[in-house]
C-alpha cells in the first residue's frame, strides 16, 4: 500500500513516511502520511516518553512511530514539532490551530493533519484487510447494515465490506468526539458504502434509537439531536490493510456549545 522513501521532518531529521494511499483519501488541504515499518527517530518528547514508559516494547514502538509520522505531517503544514500527548479522554492533543487523527494496525501507521482554518475535523482509521468475526459483526452493525453488506458481497465478492464499514465508523467517531465531547456507540451511526474494488466512497450518519443504548446509562441521548451532520468519506483496501478517511471542512460541524445534549464516556482506543 506504500513505498519506502524519505520525507523531511522539520528540516533536520528524516522520517520514512510517504503520502501513499492515505493522501488520496483526503482533501488537498490535509497533510497525510503513512509507513509500514517502525521509525526510530527523531526522539520522542519527554512527556510522550512518560506516557509509554511502562508499556510493552511493541506498544512503545507503535506509539512513537505514529507520532513521528504525525510530526512529519505538521512539518508539511509549517507547524513546529510538538508533543502529542493524550488528554484525559485518551485522545491526542494537537497543536493550537490544527486538527488531526492517528491510526495504526499491524504493519501500518498513518497520520493526517489539517489547519483548523481549513477543517473542523479529520478522522482516519486502519484495520486488517479481512472480514470481521461474526460475533463482532453483529455487535457493530444494524440489521439494515447487514443487509447492505450482503448485497455488496453478492455484487463484489472478495472485498471485506464488513471491515470497511467498521473502519468507517471508527473514522467518523474521530471527527465526532472532538466536536461534541460525547461518546458514540456503533449503533448510534449508520454507514452506506459505495461499491468499488480497491477504493470507493461512503457516507456515515448519526441515527436515533440505537438498539444497545437502552442498556446504557445515557439511554436518553439522541445523536441526531446534536445537529451533527452525516459525513462523506473514502476508503481503500489492499496490501493487507483497509484504510478509511473523513474530513469535515471548516464551518461544517456544529460547535460544541451548539450541540444538543451530550453524554459522558471515553474513547474506545487510546492512540
Amino acid at each position: 500500500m506504500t513505498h519506502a522513501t524519505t520525507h523531511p521532518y522539520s528540516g533536520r531529521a528524516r522520517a520514512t513516511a510517504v503520502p501513499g494511499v492515505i493522501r488520496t483519501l483526503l482533501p488537498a488541504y490535509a497533510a497525510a502520511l503513512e509507513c509500514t515499518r517502525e521509525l526510530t527517530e527523531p526522539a520522542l518528547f519527554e512527556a510522550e516518553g512518560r506516557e509509554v514508559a511502562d508499556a510493552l516494547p511493541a506498544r512503545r514502538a507503535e506509539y512513537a512511530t505514529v507520532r513521528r509520522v504525525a510530526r512529519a505531517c505538521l512539518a508539511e503544514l509549517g507547524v513546529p514539532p510538538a508533543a502529542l500527548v493524550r488528554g484525559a479522554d485518551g485522545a491526542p492533543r494537537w497543536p493550537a490551530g490544527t486538527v488531526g487523527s492517528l491510526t495504526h494496525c499491524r504493519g501500518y501507521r498513518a497520520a493526517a493533519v489539517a489547519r483548523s482554518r481549513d477543517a473542523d475535523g479529520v478522522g482516519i482509521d486502519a484495520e486488517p484487510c479481512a472480514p470481521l468475526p461474526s460475533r463482532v459483526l453483529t455487535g457493530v452493525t444494524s440489521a439494515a447494515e447487514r443487509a447492505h453488506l450482503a448485497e455488496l458481497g453478492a455484487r463484489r465478492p472478495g472485498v471485506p465490506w464488513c471491515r470497511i464499514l467498521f473502519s468507517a465508523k471508527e473514522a467518523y467517531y474521530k471527527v465526532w468526539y472532538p466536536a461534541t465531547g460525547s461518546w458514540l456507540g456503533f449503533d448510534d451511526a449508520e454507514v452506506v458504502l459505495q461499491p468499488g474494488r480497491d477504493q470507493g466512497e461512503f457516507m456515515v450518519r448519526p441515527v436515533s434509537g440505537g438498539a444497545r443504548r437502552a442498556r446504557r446509562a445515557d439511554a436518553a441521548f439522541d445523536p441526531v439531536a446534536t445537529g451533527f451532520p452525516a459525513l462523506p468519506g473514502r476508503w481503500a483496501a489492499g496490501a493487507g490493510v483497509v484504510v478509511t478517511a473523513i474530513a469535515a471542512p471548516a464551518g461544517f460541524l456544529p460547535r460544541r456549545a451548539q450541540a444538543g445534549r451530550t453524554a459522558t464516556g471515553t474513547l474506545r482506543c487510546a492512540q
Side-chain angles (χ1 to χ4, degrees):
M1 209 169 185
T2 183
H3 305 283
T5 186
T6 55
H7 183 80
Y9 171 80
S10 217
R12 294 178 285 107
R14 299 180 77 82
T16 306
V18 300
V21 170
I22 190 69
R23 177 67 59 84
T24 71
L25 304 182
L26 289 163
Y29 57 70
L33 297 168
E34 60 191 18
C35 66
T36 55
R37 68 176 181 85
E38 303 295 13
L39 308 181
T40 58
E41 59 180 26
L44 290 179
F45 282 83
E46 184 177 345
E48 293 171 330
R50 288 196 298 267
E51 285 197 330
V52 288
D54 298 326
L56 294 173
R59 170 56 184 155
R60 290 200 301 270
E62 72 178 13
Y63 174 99
T65 294
V66 78
R67 279 160 175 77
R68 288 167 177 139
V69 175
R71 279 193 275 278
C73 290
L74 290 169
E76 271 199 12
L77 300 178
V79 179
L84 301 176
V85 296
R86 299 189 297 261
D89 54 15
R93 299 284 184 86
W94 294 93
T98 66
V99 294
S101 182
L102 308 176
T103 190
H104 46 76
C105 68
R106 185 174 182 177
Y108 184 84
R109 315 281 185 250
V113 185
R115 289 190 177 275
S116 51
R117 70 189 182 206
D118 297 319
D120 284 344
V122 176
I124 62 172
D125 184 69
E127 303 288 337
C129 190
L132 290 171
S134 57
R135 61 180 177 79
V136 176
L137 176 64
T138 57
V140 301
T141 59
S142 64
E145 286 175 322
R146 289 191 290 276
H148 177 51
L149 291 172
E151 179 184 358
L152 289 169
R155 294 171 63 182
R156 287 192 177 275
V159 178
W161 295 112
C162 55
R163 187 74 70 165
I164 297 169
L165 185 146
F166 174 87
S167 184
K169 288 191 179 185
E170 290 286 343
Y172 187 77
Y173 185 73
K174 291 178 182 180
V175 179
W176 163 282
Y177 184 82
T180 67
S182 64
W183 187 83
L184 192 74
F186 283 107
D187 55 338
D188 295 324
E190 191 168 77
V191 179
V192 175
L193 300 169
Q194 296 299 322
R197 175 57 62 183
D198 299 317
Q199 293 195 24
E201 301 177 351
F202 61 83
M203 181 70 72
V204 189
R205 65 182 182 91
V207 295
S208 302
R212 289 174 293 282
R213 183 167 290 281
R215 300 196 294 270
R216 300 202 295 263
D218 59 340
F221 175 64
D222 182 0
V224 175
T226 65
F228 199 87
L231 292 174
R234 296 187 58 83
W235 64 266
V241 182
V242 163
V243 184
T244 56
I246 295 174
F252 194 71
L253 301 183
R255 296 179 181 176
R256 188 177 293 204
Q258 296 173 329
R261 179 180 179 273
T262 62
T264 58
T266 58
L267 287 169
R268 285 186 293 275
C269 298
Q271 301 289 343

